[in-house]
Amino acid sequence: MLFPLTMEVKPASNFSCVRLSTLLQGRRHANLFGLSPNLRDNFRKGFKTFASRKSERKRRKDSEVQQITPLTETVKGADGEEAIADTELPSGTTSGIQVEVASRSAVLQACCFTSAALLLFGVLIRQVSHLACINGLPILDATEVKFGFEIWHIELILALVVLVSSSRYILLKAWPDFAESSEAANQQVLSSLEPLDLVLVAFLPGISEEFLFRGGLMPIFGLDWKSALASGAIFGILHLSGGRKYSYTIWATIVGFSYGLSTVASSSLVVPMVSHSLNNLIGGLFWYLNSNSISEERFK
């Protein structure tokens, strides 16, 4: 049944006439059922307002999640790869130093090449001083410090190991600046190494450094406490690198001075070489085990 395009609707109340075509187009008369003429527009505005409020709540929630995200930093290794490293340090130490963590191959290569260079330089100094001395020049012969070993040297070595390692442990707990410098140096060198690598990086530098400083440089100044202090000061200054501060230089100077005194007392390079290497190994193992225990606690 077809309806005409216009018709009159006469309800019981005073409603005005409405065209059927107007109703089909979705428009409402101003007084139809008492509804607002902008009902559809109001509905659209309300929906947009609800959606905007929901988006605002979502953005606020995302910002709260970002605020509680743990602080991390990007550490670039020597091989160019990037990794996310947590900036948290062991309890009692804080660090603002960003350290580039070297790869395992880079650390081992640098250790071998540096140790070989120090040994070569030490051999050169000893031979030059020996030739100069036998030719009458006023230079002491560095080859007077030999590789002899006696039983009582074991006691001297053990005393040095206990003294240096226990002093380092106390300073790590009592001197924050020294602890921060040590942490920076250990992170740079030891982070990428395997446990067996610690033996290599402990003994190669220990032997080569003592051969150069206590077997080459110190005898030139004389075998006494003054020459031990001079070689120890040079030894400490050369440790001012890799994120270390002056506190670490002071510590290295004192340790070098003690190795020099042991060389003067024993007239042997074996004592400072073994003592230095064992102290390096103990310090590396302590840091390695401590860092691994902290990492395991984070993942529990």
Side-chain angles (χ1 to χ4, degrees), residues 115-153:
S115 299
L118 293 178
L119 286 173
L120 182 61
F121 194 29
V123 170
L124 181 62
I125 292 177
R126 286 170 66 88
Q127 293 302 318
V128 170
S129 65
H130 177 69
L131 292 176
C133 182
I134 62 178
N135 286 297
L137 295 178
I139 298 178
L140 296 177
D141 188 359
T143 58
E144 292 183 359
V145 182
K146 304 186 183 299
F147 293 89
F149 182 77
E150 299 180 14
I151 298 299
W152 69 273
H153 290 170

Side-chain angles (χ1 to χ4, degrees), residues 67-287:
Q67 291 176 358
I68 63 174
T69 302
L71 179 62
T72 58
E73 64 178 357
T74 301
V75 179
K76 182 176 290 186
D79 54 0
E81 297 181 355
E82 293 186 351
I84 302 300
D86 201 328
T87 58
E88 183 181 355
L89 295 177
S91 59
T93 61
T94 57
S95 176
I97 300 176
Q98 294 183 355
V99 180
E100 291 187 0
V101 178
S103 64
R104 178 175 178 267
S105 59
V107 172
L108 296 180
Q109 289 177 5
C111 179
C112 294
F113 290 147
T114 303
S115 299
L118 293 178
L119 286 173
L120 182 61
F121 194 29
V123 170
L124 181 62
I125 292 177
R126 286 170 66 88
Q127 293 302 318
V128 170
S129 65
H130 177 69
L131 292 176
C133 182
I134 62 178
N135 286 297
L137 295 178
I139 298 178
L140 296 177
D141 188 359
T143 58
E144 292 183 359
V145 182
K146 304 186 183 299
F147 293 89
F149 182 77
E150 299 180 14
I151 298 299
W152 69 273
H153 290 170
I154 298 177
E155 298 177 358
L156 186 57
I157 292 172
L158 292 177
L160 277 173
V161 171
V162 172
L163 177 63
V164 173
S165 295
S166 60
S167 298
R168 181 196 291 119
Y169 179 79
I170 294 173
L171 288 177
L172 288 175
K173 299 297 182 181
W175 196 357
D177 195 42
F178 175 72
E180 185 175 318
S181 298
S182 299
E183 180 68 23
N186 290 331
Q187 281 185 357
Q188 184 182 34
V189 177
L190 303 180
S191 296
S192 59
L193 297 183
E194 300 294 334
L196 291 179
D197 297 334
L198 298 178
V199 179
L200 183 67
V201 299
F203 277 83
L204 282 185
I207 293 173
S208 60
E209 289 175 5
E210 293 307 314
F211 185 77
L212 172 61
F213 289 98
R214 258 60 67 177
L217 293 177
M218 191 185 75
I220 294 178
F221 300 104
L223 292 176
D224 54 18
W225 69 269
K226 295 180 181 179
S227 61
L229 181 60
S231 63
I234 299 173
F235 179 74
I237 293 172
L238 293 179
H239 279 75
L240 189 61
S241 61
R244 304 182 183 101
K245 297 183 179 181
Y246 287 101
S247 57
Y248 200 89
T249 299
I250 296 173
W251 162 253
T253 300
I254 296 174
V255 172
F257 178 55
S258 65
Y259 293 149
L261 291 179
S262 68
T263 306
V264 173
S266 62
S267 298
S268 173
L269 283 175
V270 176
V271 174
M273 284 181 177
V274 176
S275 302
H276 192 165
S277 301
L278 290 177
N279 282 319
N280 286 346
L281 182 60
I282 292 173
L285 286 174
F286 177 79
W287 182 88

Side-chain angles (χ1 to χ4, degrees), residues 26 28 32 35-46:
R28 304 291 190 269
L32 183 61
L35 297 177
S36 171
N38 297 322
L39 178 62
R40 183 169 57 186
D41 294 337
N42 292 337
F43 177 77
R44 288 178 178 177
K45 290 180 180 179

